[in-house]
Amino acid sequence: MLAMARRVTKAVIPAAGLGTRFLPATKAIPKEMLPVVDRPAIQYVVEEAAGAGLTDLLMVTGRNKTPLENHFDRVAELEETLAQRGDEEKLAAVRAPQELADMHYLRQGNPLGLGHAVLRAHQHVGNDSFGVLLGDDIIVGGDELMREMIRVHEATGASVIAVQEVPMEDVRSYGVVSPRLVDGEPERVDGFRWPCVRLAELVEKPEPEQAPSNLAVLGRYVLRPEVFDVLEQTAPGRGGEIQLTDALQVLAKNPDIGGGVIALVFDGRRYDTGNKLDYVKANLELASQHPNIGAELRAWLRENIDQLAGPPEA
Ligand code: G1P
């Protein structure tokens, strides 16, 4: 039996990507700074981590990402001006990001892939289990998901990833997993809010014909520190990049190294804000729940739905 894991308080947020899917909006600002309703996309991810008790955060960034550091730092002049005006609401909004977590930053250096970005965090993370949250994913209720993933990790000692069913034609955009089978049935790990299964295999961005399932890896992970040793040995894979999925495949195949890999099958809503359509959907969903503008937006949508939606596509 593997030693039970210690409390997880650290997380790595890879944020070095160029954001080419969103040009020209991301020509001069990082994609993580695009606003979703009233906050930059990255703030949702940091709020989610903090909400799950991950308060020691390392962002792995790159060139042109200084706005991220500025966003989570104090701006004394702005705070003074708002305080003098007595604008408590805006003052609280300006202060919120810097109070969420203990933020650390590291540049990735060479853009060698997600696995490489995570490996760069080794020194900061040390010998503890840690979370990884990818900045492009906004998950509605994500702090609950992350908290449950930590619970699964603490109970089993395994690395834990979140997966979700996607249409088969979309698997080529994701890491894809297949469960370990016992007597022909997926090996379940019971007792958690969402179904959990032990994994046999993970493949990065397969063609649908080669995909072992349509269970796609979401950008949320709770990893054992053994993943660093595996990443050190991981050769470039899909797209010539060092893939986190490939390192997890080694952990899944060799449970004696790091306790194996468990996938939690999440059924909630998730948006990839690096994708234009998903970005608009995320804005609509979060705006329609917003305390200040939600009710008005919902009324406006109901009034204009026919004109907005138009006739059904042929
Ligand atoms: C990364 C991972 C992939 C995962 C995806 C989730 O890919 O490599 O396994 O399914 O995030 O968003 P990316 O979207 O960075 O290409």
Side-chain angles (χ1 to χ4, degrees):
M1 190 63 202
L2 288 148
M4 282 299 109
R6 273 189 279 168
R7 250 191 86 67
V8 186
T9 58
K10 294 180 182 172
V12 178
I13 302 183
L18 291 177
T20 49
R21 286 192 289 168
F22 233 121
L23 284 168
T26 49
K27 186 175 171 190
I29 57 164
K31 60 177 175 172
E32 294 83 2
M33 290 303 293
L34 291 176
V36 177
V37 190
D38 54 5
R39 280 165 280 172
I42 193 72
Q43 189 174 330
Y44 291 88
V45 177
V46 171
E47 283 172 0
E48 179 189 322
L54 304 170
T55 50
D56 177 340
L57 300 186
L58 177 70
M59 257 188 213
V60 183
T61 67
R63 276 174 59 77
N64 307 327
K65 298 281 184 170
T66 37
L68 294 177
E69 298 190 31
N70 292 340
H71 184 71
F72 294 100
D73 195 5
R74 282 200 66 189
V75 193
E77 320 81 270
L78 184 56
E79 286 187 35
E80 264 163 45
T81 310
L82 293 169
Q84 275 163 13
R85 286 189 197 156
D87 194 337
E88 294 298 327
E89 199 181 325
K90 290 209 182 73
L91 189 58
V94 162
R95 283 183 175 156
Q98 73 233 24
E99 288 166 354
L100 285 169
D102 188 9
M103 305 292 300
H104 305 268
Y105 301 90
L106 174 74
R107 287 201 177 198
Q108 186 177 357
N110 294 326
L112 299 179
L114 178 60
H116 175 255
V118 171
L119 182 55
R120 294 278 290 138
H122 190 179
Q123 199 178 5
H124 181 87
V125 168
N127 205 24
D128 292 321
S129 296
F130 62 105
V132 176
L133 297 92
L134 304 190
D136 280 347
D137 293 270
I138 289 187
I139 297 180
V140 181
D143 50 347
E144 289 169 37
L145 166 64
M146 206 67 204
R147 232 177 288 136
E148 193 68 359
M149 290 172 69
I150 294 170
R151 226 173 278 143
V152 177
H153 169 71
E154 288 176 347
T156 62
S159 291
V160 182
I161 64 172
V163 300
Q164 190 158 60
E165 280 190 49
V166 298
M168 206 61 194
E169 62 270 24
D170 292 349
V171 293
R172 58 166 71 84
S173 304
Y174 297 100
V176 173
V177 307
S178 68
R180 211 153 81 181
L181 300 180
V182 176
D183 299 330
E185 289 296 320
E187 187 181 347
R188 292 187 58 135
V189 184
D190 290 327
F192 299 99
R193 177 169 165 193
W194 287 282
C196 294
V197 288
R198 286 197 181 271
L199 294 187
E201 198 188 355
L202 296 95
V203 190
E204 181 67 4
K205 304 199 172 97
E207 287 305 312
E209 306 78 60
Q210 271 107 47
S213 78
N214 66 337
L215 287 173
V217 178
L218 304 187
R220 298 295 181 270
Y221 310 76
V222 177
L223 302 178
R224 293 256 308 224
E226 287 83 352
V227 74
F228 292 124
D229 302 328
V230 177
L231 280 167
E232 294 272 10
Q233 310 292 324
T234 301
R238 186 92 191 162
E241 297 188 337
I242 297 172
Q243 297 292 353
L244 182 57
T245 303
D246 293 345
L248 293 176
Q249 159 83 339
V250 174
L251 290 182
K253 291 241 181 255
N254 302 278
D256 49 314
I257 302 179
V261 182
I262 290 175
L264 180 157
V265 186
F266 181 62
D267 59 2
R269 313 246 280 214
R270 166 250 175 206
Y271 298 104
D272 173 3
T273 57
N275 164 300
K276 287 174 201 173
L277 181 60
D278 259 26
Y279 174 76
V280 173
K281 289 181 186 170
N283 270 282
L284 266 181
E285 169 152 4
L286 294 169
S288 71
Q289 295 167 0
H290 194 281
N292 298 349
I293 60 171
E296 263 184 79
L297 175 66
R298 292 195 302 271
W300 181 82
L301 283 170
R302 278 193 298 270
E303 268 166 40
N304 291 283
I305 190 67
D306 288 340
Q307 191 197 335
L308 284 169
E313 304 294 328

